[in-house]
Amino acid sequence: MGAAARSSTGETASPVRELVVPDPSSSVRWHQHDWPHPLARWHHHPEVEVHLVRESSGTMMIGDHVGPFGPGNLCLIGSFLPHNWISHLEDDEPVRNRDVVLQLDQDRFFAAAEKLPELESLRPLLDDAARGIEFGGRSAEDGAAALEAVQGTFGLRRLAAVTELLSVLAESPESDRHYLDSHGGSYRLDVEETELFNRALNYITDHLADRMLLRDVADEVALSRDAFSRLFSKATGVGFSRTVSRMRVTEASRLLRTTRLPVAEICYRVGFTNLSNFNRQFRAATGTTPSCYRRLNQH
């Protein structure tokens, strides 16, 4: 499955900066969408986003972070911090209502805090969102329930539901927070760059098991090697080779958790060419060996 959603005609959805259409009757926008979907791609927007994955597992990309996600994944994404969740599926069946999303304009909340000082307690949370936060433990469970509870609310009841959600996240202990991006959201791709990067991600995801050279992907998106290298560094902060390695390790961790395939077979299935390099890259990314990771995480 490619990183960018595809339309019924097989064309890749136009990956411009997402335009969040405001709800004139609400200070936030709550919605849900399937995978694949035109919104399910590498993109960014000025609004802060609370994002929940209900079903499926795969690769999460937040700024320069690449890692696994599964059902119940709850993240807070800051303004202009690029993000994408790529589901890895055994078939082509769509995942209905995979994502639940709440988007808010943090400037409106900060302006409101000047009149309603109780809202000032949200400022540290929204400041931290610049790096992206993945919540765990009880905070993830309570946050997911609070996000779901916003659905179908209106007026003061919606405001109360959103306040409850943000309170849960703001009061979450540090032990339930995993900060994702190391740059604080300092990424800005224009429309053309975003389109090219999504096409590259699409190609990499579809060919992860193949021999992957920078020049091959650069040719796929019709860029010179130097221009493609600059694009990848600008988009991810870590460059092409490290991003591909992280994506391979993330897919390997999913297979280790969800299948009984031998470690050697997983190594080659995700694109590594020898076991020693696979073990080295896996340990560098996860802190443990593939075999130990399986013992600790297999369902």
Side-chain angles (χ1 to χ4, degrees):
M1 182 66 67
R6 299 181 187 276
S7 71
S8 59
T9 63
E11 296 179 347
T12 303
S14 179
V16 298
R17 187 182 88 181
E18 182 183 346
L19 176 61
V20 177
V21 180
D23 179 349
S25 64
S26 177
S27 58
V28 302
R29 180 184 181 227
W30 187 102
H31 64 281
Q32 54 192 341
H33 62 75
D34 303 340
W35 168 270
H37 188 275
L39 295 179
R41 68 187 191 279
W42 179 260
H43 67 285
H44 57 75
H45 41 71
E47 291 77 15
V48 173
E49 176 172 309
V50 184
H51 188 281
L52 170 67
V53 177
R54 287 172 169 151
E55 297 182 52
S56 80
S57 60
T59 299
M60 173 176 66
M61 304 181 71
I62 311 292
D64 66 3
H65 171 83
V66 179
F69 75 86
N73 171 265
L74 182 72
C75 292
L76 180 67
I77 309 299
S79 177
F80 289 108
L81 180 62
H83 49 278
N84 191 17
W85 287 260
I86 306 167
S87 287
H88 299 292
L89 306 175
E90 300 303 323
D91 53 42
D92 292 329
E93 287 296 314
V95 183
R96 299 297 181 191
N97 292 326
R98 184 194 73 165
D99 305 276
V100 183
V101 179
L102 183 138
Q103 293 161 326
L104 61 93
D105 182 340
Q106 68 176 11
D107 291 339
R108 295 179 69 183
F109 272 76
F110 289 155
E114 297 179 3
K115 304 293 184 182
L116 300 172
E118 292 84 357
L119 293 177
E120 188 63 31
S121 63
L122 296 177
R123 188 178 295 275
L125 175 72
L126 297 179
D127 287 342
D128 287 344
R131 295 176 58 192
I133 307 171
E134 180 183 12
F135 295 93
R138 184 65 179 271
S139 299
E141 296 174 7
D142 292 348
L147 177 58
E148 295 277 16
V150 177
Q151 183 180 18
T153 58
F154 302 94
L156 289 176
R157 292 189 183 277
R158 166 156 288 199
L159 182 59
V162 172
T163 302
E164 173 62 21
L165 167 63
L166 296 177
S167 295
V168 168
L169 302 184
E171 295 168 6
S172 62
E174 285 296 313
S175 58
D176 281 354
R177 298 185 181 193
H178 177 209
Y179 296 96
L180 302 173
D181 176 69
S182 63
H183 290 76
S186 56
Y187 308 85
R188 297 292 176 95
L189 299 185
D190 62 29
V191 172
E192 182 179 1
E193 290 171 329
T194 306
E195 180 178 1
L196 290 170
F197 185 69
N198 265 305
R199 285 171 55 193
L201 278 184
N202 224 17
Y203 181 87
I204 292 167
T205 304
D206 288 342
H207 297 84
L208 201 60
D210 301 336
R211 185 167 177 261
M212 188 79 62
L213 297 177
L214 183 147
R215 66 169 178 263
D216 297 330
V217 190
D219 289 345
E220 181 68 20
V221 298
L223 285 178
S224 70
R225 297 179 198 178
D226 288 344
F228 180 79
S229 182
R230 288 194 298 271
L231 171 68
F232 237 85
S233 295
K234 183 177 181 180
T236 68
V238 295
F240 173 77
S241 296
R242 192 171 174 189
T243 299
V244 172
S245 178
R246 287 178 174 184
M247 293 176 71
R248 285 174 166 156
V249 167
T250 297
E251 175 61 0
S253 68
R254 184 187 74 85
L255 293 173
L256 289 166
R257 292 194 312 273
T258 61
T259 76
R260 296 186 179 277
L261 292 172
V263 170
E265 184 173 343
I266 290 174
C267 162
Y268 298 116
R269 181 174 287 204
V270 301
F272 287 100
T273 56
N274 63 76
L275 271 172
S276 61
N277 185 42
F278 173 52
N279 286 323
R280 183 170 59 252
Q281 296 292 342
F282 195 94
R283 182 187 284 275
T286 67
T288 189
T289 65
S291 297
C292 183
Y293 181 91
R294 167 170 272 172
R295 287 196 299 271
L296 294 172
N297 294 279
Q298 190 166 53
H299 299 154

